[in-house]
Amino acid sequence: MGQVYHLDRIAVVYSSRDSPQPGRAAERHLTQMLFASGAGLTSPTAGIPSARSSGGEWARSTPRRYDTDSSQIVAEHQQAWSRYWAGADIVLLGDEKAAKALRFAIYHLGSAANPHDDRVSIGARALTGEAYKGHVLWDTEAFILPFFVLTQPSAARALLQYRYHTLPAARAKAGSLGYRGALYAWESTDTGEEATPSFSLTLDGKLIPILSGNQEHHISANVAYAVWHYWQITGDDGFFRESGAEIMLDTARFWASRGSLEEDGYYHIRCVIGPDEYHESVDDNAYTNGMAQWNLEYGAQTGQLMAERWPERWKELTRQIAITSDELAQWRSLAKAMYLGMDPATGLIEQFRGFYELAEFDLSRLEPLTTPPDVLLGRSRVKGAKIIKQADVLMLLFQQWERFPRVVHEANFNYYHPRTAHGSSLSPAIHAAFAARLGQLALAERYLSQAASIDLQDTMGNAAGGVHIGAMGGLWQAIVWGFGGLQLQPDGLAFDPQLPASWQQLKFRLQWRGCQLAVILSADPNYLTVQLAGEDAMNVGLTNGTTIRLLPGQQAKARQVAGCWSDWEVRLA
Ligand code: IFM
């Protein structure tokens, strides 16, 4: 009684990348740490192999002395978190529930990525649970990566390098199915080989085949899209030249072999699964075709750009993967011929061939939807109905916003959102972002609240499998791209803010090519204040307003009255 006992628990982690016998190497490392600190041991364990570095920063060969005073380690830990929060935090005043969910998401996102290890990526539940067994899906590139690109580019780079290291497996997968180029695994692990299970057990005990590993091919375009946007936003030429370009080219090459130019003059991609996984083996899925079209165009652009800017590397690449200028021209013409299923009169895009012929189903009949409709109604009924699992056409339009006019955004949102069941956690945040961009703010708030509840209220009933890290990335996108109205410009960033009147303030920070931009928005009155730190100037613009060249250390403010933005008022921060 009366004495204070201090217990430290030390964990040492080795993987098979660090040593052929990771268990023994960890034991040896731990023993050396304790021995070095004189913590009561007489000799290091004999015969235990030493750690073999695999080249990553994560591999450790020199045990750090274990200090019985851990305050230094705790202080370093706190500093690292403070630095992280300073760049990534979002302040949202006026919606406490969303604010809490956002910070919960930012905490988990920061914990999930490792900027020091480019051989790993983020599994669908990060490291917080066993659902999806740690497998990496499109969640990383399409939902999570934008957060890292704009707040912690070193983590984004490491995540993309993981895809570069797994390119050989993607080439092998394409080859094994009779295609050219690179087809990334739908579920990927350390080697990048396909890890999607072939069967799964339903809640009522039936064994059902999982076709995603064979048919969900949009993943290749998701990786390419992420590479291009990382490069545009960070200006990291080294990454693009040495790794990214190869991904762009080999994924474009895959799409050129995946479809066929048919008698009607269109390029068709048949037998796929789009993001709406309730409908399998479909032809001309809008999301897949639209993303493939983008990939073909930007693959061709990559070739041209490499030849102009980095002719030496281009020469090396053309030798290595035998690309010719004829192949680039072929990609451009296939992109032009891509079938998109858009009605020119209304702008409505058919989700896949035959979607309009499916049965209508009023999803409001199932409200409140606490069990996915494929479980409630049965898989075959859902397959025969216009019931969509998650944003599909809308995901395409969200990611390629600037390529489509407003009438297309509106027509498709109004048609598809009532038919979407949000059977995937990835869906509500994208709907929130979409609705916010269209100014449909009541709906945007409803979807934001749905996205914010997934983990904190376990509304999908599967939180025990781990947090839905993709949905968390989506939540961040809903705020920054949706309500904040972020748009990428060739020489900076622009905003089209759409804030609910009840939000007093929304504040976030973004990184763009080494510049740090603080963005502060308020709803009523509508103000946008931007403040720049770093070495370089950048452009900041407003849709329906003007663009300013902001210098480091400057702050600029604009006010919106009756839908029109005032000129910027500039002062030193
Ligand atoms: O990647 C998603 C997929 O789009 C829908 N089912 C869940 C997966 C993992 O989050």
Side-chain angles (χ1 to χ4, degrees):
M1 289 293 285
Q3 286 198 14
V4 174
Y5 293 89
H6 179 111
L7 284 164
D8 286 331
R9 185 172 65 169
I10 310 168
V12 175
V13 180
Y14 273 77
S15 79
S16 53
R17 282 169 37 201
D18 307 314
S19 159
Q21 290 172 293
R24 301 193 80 198
E27 209 178 325
R28 178 187 168 94
H29 186 121
L30 180 64
T31 309
Q32 285 177 351
M33 274 172 95
L34 296 174
F35 189 64
S37 64
L41 284 162
T42 47
S43 73
T45 310
I48 293 177
S50 61
R52 191 190 60 181
S53 166
S54 67
E57 271 182 62
W58 193 242
R60 56 203 55 152
S61 46
T62 324
R64 180 175 167 169
R65 184 178 174 275
Y66 164 61
D67 199 332
T68 43
D69 176 11
S70 52
S71 56
Q72 176 64 23
I73 298 171
V74 172
E76 282 170 19
H77 172 84
Q78 285 171 339
Q79 280 158 15
W81 272 108
S82 302
R83 275 196 305 276
Y84 171 72
W85 280 109
D89 198 9
I90 292 187
V91 175
L92 168 50
L93 303 178
D95 185 339
E96 210 179 309
K97 177 179 163 185
K100 190 176 184 178
L102 268 167
R103 301 192 87 214
F104 183 67
I106 293 165
Y107 163 74
H108 274 291
L109 287 162
S111 312
N114 184 353
H116 306 296
D117 190 345
D118 64 12
R119 295 212 163 244
V120 296
S121 184
I122 300 176
R125 303 296 183 92
L127 293 174
T128 65
E130 295 198 0
Y132 290 96
K133 300 181 162 55
H135 295 178
V136 180
L137 294 98
W138 74 312
D139 306 33
T140 308
E141 282 75 23
F143 295 85
I144 300 171
L145 209 91
F147 164 79
F148 287 113
V149 175
L150 283 151
T151 62
Q152 206 188 349
S154 59
R157 187 185 217 272
L159 291 168
L160 291 172
Q161 281 292 115
Y162 162 79
R163 292 298 191 178
Y164 182 65
H165 294 311
T166 51
L167 197 47
R171 287 183 180 128
K173 178 173 174 183
S176 74
L177 295 175
Y179 305 122
R180 299 184 70 216
L183 170 58
Y184 280 97
W186 176 245
E187 294 189 26
S188 178
T189 62
D190 52 349
T191 61
E193 284 161 68
E194 186 54 74
T196 308
S198 307
F199 291 92
S200 138
L201 209 52
T202 59
L203 291 179
D204 50 3
K206 286 195 195 105
L207 204 58
I208 49 156
I210 301 183
L211 302 182
S212 302
N214 293 329
Q215 293 188 5
E216 206 154 346
H217 291 174
H218 60 79
I219 175 82
S220 271
N222 296 129
V223 174
Y225 183 91
V227 162
W228 183 267
H229 285 88
Y230 167 80
W231 181 45
Q232 293 302 300
I233 294 170
T234 60
D236 184 349
D237 289 347
F239 165 79
F240 191 75
R241 193 181 57 233
E242 300 306 320
S243 309
E246 211 172 318
I247 296 178
M248 296 296 300
L249 297 167
D250 250 337
T251 47
R253 178 177 265 179
F254 163 71
W255 291 115
S257 72
R258 177 62 182 79
S260 49
L261 206 48
E262 298 186 10
E263 275 178 7
D264 61 1
Y266 284 107
Y267 191 66
H268 295 276
I269 300 180
R270 299 194 180 271
C271 198
V272 295
I273 302 179
D276 169 18
E277 293 165 336
Y278 291 161
H279 297 96
E280 296 166 329
S281 313
V282 300
D283 293 338
D284 287 323
N285 164 248
Y287 184 76
T288 308
N289 286 21
M291 292 301 286
Q293 180 182 49
W294 181 94
N295 202 162
L296 285 162
E297 263 177 47
Y298 281 79
Q301 197 172 324
T302 299
Q304 187 184 338
L305 206 141
M306 290 292 292
E308 285 162 14
R309 286 181 66 175
W310 297 295
E312 280 310 303
R313 172 74 178 133
W314 177 238
K315 237 194 255 162
E316 194 180 302
L317 271 177
T318 49
R319 263 200 313 272
Q320 218 174 300
I321 50 178
I323 297 246
T324 61
S325 52
D326 283 353
E327 197 172 350
L328 301 185
Q330 184 216 8
W331 296 351
R332 282 200 188 91
S333 72
L334 292 181
K336 279 207 189 92
M338 184 69 71
Y339 179 85
L340 203 58
M342 187 196 293
D343 177 345
T346 59
L348 195 63
I349 300 173
E350 188 174 25
Q351 191 184 286
F352 54 81
R353 293 293 274 272
F355 182 84
Y356 295 145
E357 277 89 68
L358 300 178
E360 284 289 357
F361 185 91
D362 179 6
L363 278 173
S364 67
R365 283 168 51 196
L366 305 181
E367 296 283 349
L369 197 59
T370 47
T371 310
D374 54 333
V375 177
L376 278 179
L377 305 172
R379 280 164 48 90
S380 65
R381 179 133 183 239
V382 167
K383 196 178 161 133
K386 289 179 189 148
I387 301 179
I388 302 165
K389 183 172 181 180
Q390 62 178 315
D392 189 306
V393 172
L394 297 185
M395 188 68 192
L396 173 69
L397 300 180
F398 175 64
Q399 288 190 287
Q400 298 189 15
W401 193 262
E402 283 80 19
R403 283 160 70 95
F404 294 91
R406 189 172 172 99
V407 51
V408 173
H409 298 145
E410 275 175 349
N412 286 280
F413 184 72
N414 295 339
Y415 180 82
Y416 283 108
H417 94 84
R419 293 175 171 82
T420 306
H422 310 290
S424 163
S425 64
L426 300 174
S427 191
I430 299 305
H431 281 75
F434 211 114
R437 289 185 84 113
L438 290 180
Q440 299 193 26
L441 294 179
L443 208 49
E445 282 192 277
R446 202 187 85 199
Y447 281 126
L448 186 71
S449 160
Q450 191 175 343
S453 314
I454 293 170
D455 287 308
L456 290 175
Q457 275 143 42
D458 194 13
T459 47
M460 299 189 77
N462 57 8
V467 299
H468 298 76
I469 196 78
M472 291 179 164
L475 193 67
W476 184 89
Q477 291 198 59
I479 295 296
V480 174
W481 296 85
F483 293 92
L486 174 66
Q487 289 170 8
L488 303 182
Q489 305 283 310
D491 45 10
L493 299 174
F495 298 90
D496 185 10
Q498 305 279 350
L499 260 50
S502 56
W503 290 14
Q504 290 104 50
Q505 193 184 64
L506 175 63
K507 199 163 132 188
F508 52 84
R509 283 171 197 276
L510 302 173
Q511 292 202 30
W512 184 86
R513 299 191 191 168
C515 304
Q516 287 112 46
L517 187 73
V519 181
I520 306 161
L521 295 159
S522 65
D524 194 13
N526 278 335
Y527 277 111
L528 168 67
T529 308
V530 284
Q531 194 173 311
L532 189 65
E535 308 277 299
D536 299 316
M538 70 178 278
N539 283 2
V540 182
L542 276 159
T543 311
N544 303 324
T546 50
T547 296
I548 189 175
R549 183 99 188 133
L550 203 60
L551 304 176
Q554 276 184 343
Q555 178 177 297
K557 189 172 182 173
R559 181 175 183 180
Q560 193 186 38
V561 184
C564 294
W565 287 95
S566 68
D567 281 338
W568 293 96
E569 264 172 52
V570 184
R571 63 180 176 83
L572 280 181

